[in-house]
Amino acid sequence: MSAHESTAHLTDVRFPGVGDHRANAEAASHNYRGQHSVEVHDLYKAFGSFEVLRGLNLNFMDDAVTTILGPSGTGKSVLLKHVVGLLEPDAGEVGVFGRDIWSMSERERSEMRKRFGVLFQDGALFGSMNIYDNVAFPLRKNTDMSEDEIREIVTRRLNDVGLGAADTKAPNEISGGMKKRAGFARALVMEPEIVLFDEPDSGLDPVRTRLLCELILQMHEQHKGTYVVVTHDIETARKISDYIGLLWKGELVHFGPAAEAFESDEPFVRQFLSSGESAGPLGMD
Ligand SMILES: Nc1ncnc2c1ncn2[C@@H]1O[C@H](COP(=O)(O)OP(=O)(O)O)[C@@H](O)[C@H]1O
Ligand SMILES: [Mg+2]
């Protein structure tokens, strides 16, 4: 079965719920302009002839943790890059605080990015700087704070993530889990209103994944804000989500409160959210 056929099959024949959600998303898009801090409308993106995002509609909930779950290669990172304005849509819009990112000037867009904290897969630390300087970097770059003020914030954030004693270490001297925590501390120093996580659990063992999930929840409790986590790990989604979106082949096939998603009777959602269960409508293609 080709990808195209299987998608038609998925949306048109066996899973009426999928179409309903899309209709809801379309209805919601008429309420655009500032209802939510991040709104995605009819987002399309292709690389060459390969269509990655195929008409995404999605509002991220303020002061909530929304998880976008999907198999690898399905467009999760591409979606995040659109949200933070690193990629420009082929069609559609990404609204941040009520404004289309791509109708802003370059300067406004870069101001807007300061309101984001972003934690990419590997923590994306600067290898040449120690942990302290990595975490201090956004403050030195974007503010005119004194080194004393910076020290107070950086120390607090490093303590939050359990790295108070590791501040002088270089990134290559610490474990994968510590790198992620350092990246998280750096993502929080500017007190962002929106925090994006790209597979925060990748490469971590189950125990460290659980600890990182707890840390994400604890930091969200403390700082509030719109948290968006993309992952392919169902257990992570189960632990941290207020809302869950299921992304499959560049389309949002389900969106709603996490508790509802995990109790859904819909075969597609059930298969998606039951780890390891291969029987069901979702094929490997
Ligand atoms: N800059 C790019 N140029 C070409 N193809 C890309 C680019 N970025 C992503 N892709 C492709 O888009 C698809 C989705 O990628 P991605 O969003 O990274 O998936 P994931 O859901 O695993 O995060 C993949 O097939 C990937 O190869
Ligand atoms: Mg990715």
Side-chain angles (χ1 to χ4, degrees), residues 43 69 73 93 114 145 189 211 215 234-235 251 265 271:
L43 181 60
L69 195 58
E93 286 178 16
K114 291 181 193 165
M145 285 181 188
V189 286
L211 291 171
L215 182 63
I234 291 146
E235 286 314 307
E251 293 187 64
D265 288 332
Q271 190 193 359

Side-chain angles (χ1 to χ4, degrees), residues 47 50 52 71-78 199:
F47 296 104
F50 181 45
V52 178
S72 48
T74 207
K76 301 183 300 297
S77 296
V78 169
E199 310 240 12

Side-chain angles (χ1 to χ4, degrees), residues 6 9 16 77 84 98 110 114 118 172 177 201 209 215 228 239 259 261 267 280 284:
S6 76
H9 178 68
S77 296
V84 76
S110 89
K114 291 181 193 165
V118 184
N172 65 10
D201 44 17
T209 297
L215 182 63
V228 177
K239 287 188 188 90
M284 289 294 286

Side-chain angles (χ1 to χ4, degrees), residues 9 14 42 44 60 164 177 181 193 205 222 234 254 261 267 279 283:
H9 178 68
R14 292 210 6 221
D42 282 331
Y44 285 82
F60 289 104
R181 283 187 276 145
E193 291 141 282
D205 61 53
Q222 201 173 315
I234 291 146
H254 178 88

